[in-house]
Amino acid sequence: MRNKLNNNKGLTLIEVLASIVLLSIVIISFMSLFPQMTLMNHKTEDNLQAANVGKELLVEIKKLTFESIKNGDSLPITNISIDINSNLTIIDGTYKSFKVKISLYANLDISGEIQKLHRIRIEVLDDKSTVLTSTYGYMEHN
């Protein structure tokens, strides 16, 4: 009988269960990180696409004249709505499945002998009208 009590070879059921519980806790804590990383990747992808759309739209707008943009002519966006004030023209629309808001300032921001420039701000919005990115630029007064 004495030999059976002093036999420490092997693991008891309680030790096996305790190790399984500890291992499960560690694995579950790592598994909870994956959905968060996926969500952050989607947000980053949307922001990157929005920044590219804003820059691309700015390049397209710079090819047009100031008056044609102010009137909404030849703009590469759809679902256009234009609000014209004395110093600011705001154009809302859709460009490549993103909502965009173009602010065109009528006052000359920079004027000199060489050229006269108007400031442009392009905001790219998501479906909830949250600004994903803002792009700024200047265009010549033609």
Side-chain angles (χ1 to χ4, degrees):
M1 181 81 177
R2 190 101 172 128
N3 286 339
K4 286 186 180 180
L5 293 176
N6 289 332
N7 185 2
N8 289 331
K9 295 179 184 175
L11 299 172
T12 65
L13 181 60
I14 294 176
E15 290 172 332
V16 170
L17 289 176
S19 64
I20 290 174
V21 167
L22 288 174
L23 187 61
S24 298
I25 290 172
V26 170
I27 290 174
I28 289 173
S29 64
F30 279 120
M31 293 297 286
S32 68
L33 294 176
F34 288 111
Q36 293 172 357
M37 289 188 319
T38 303
L39 179 64
M40 288 303 293
N41 285 340
H42 286 296
K43 286 183 180 180
T44 303
E45 182 181 352
D46 289 345
N47 287 341
L48 183 61
Q49 285 180 347
N52 287 335
V53 163
K55 289 177 186 177
E56 184 179 325
L57 186 57
L58 181 62
V59 169
E60 292 294 323
I61 287 175
K62 283 184 175 183
K63 295 177 184 176
L64 305 173
T65 64
F66 178 77
E67 288 302 319
S68 67
I69 294 170
K70 192 173 177 181
N71 296 331
D73 299 336
S74 306
L75 283 172
I77 62 176
T78 57
N79 303 325
I80 296 175
S81 100
I82 301 174
D83 181 21
I84 300 175
N85 294 326
S86 60
N87 294 329
L88 176 65
T89 301
I90 298 175
I91 303 169
D92 292 314
T94 305
Y95 183 73
K96 294 194 174 182
S97 74
F98 283 98
K99 293 179 187 176
V100 293
K101 180 179 179 181
I102 303 168
S103 301
L104 182 62
Y105 295 87
N107 290 345
L108 293 173
D109 221 24
I110 298 174
S111 64
E113 295 178 16
I114 299 175
Q115 56 181 287
K116 299 176 180 180
L117 301 176
H118 294 279
R119 185 171 39 146
I120 302 172
R121 180 180 70 205
I122 299 173
E123 294 175 312
V124 181
L125 313 162
D126 64 4
D127 295 335
K128 299 173 187 169
S129 297
T130 304
V131 177
L132 294 174
T133 186
S134 294
T135 304
Y136 297 87
Y138 289 91
M139 72 174 299
E140 291 184 48
H141 180 79
N142 320 38

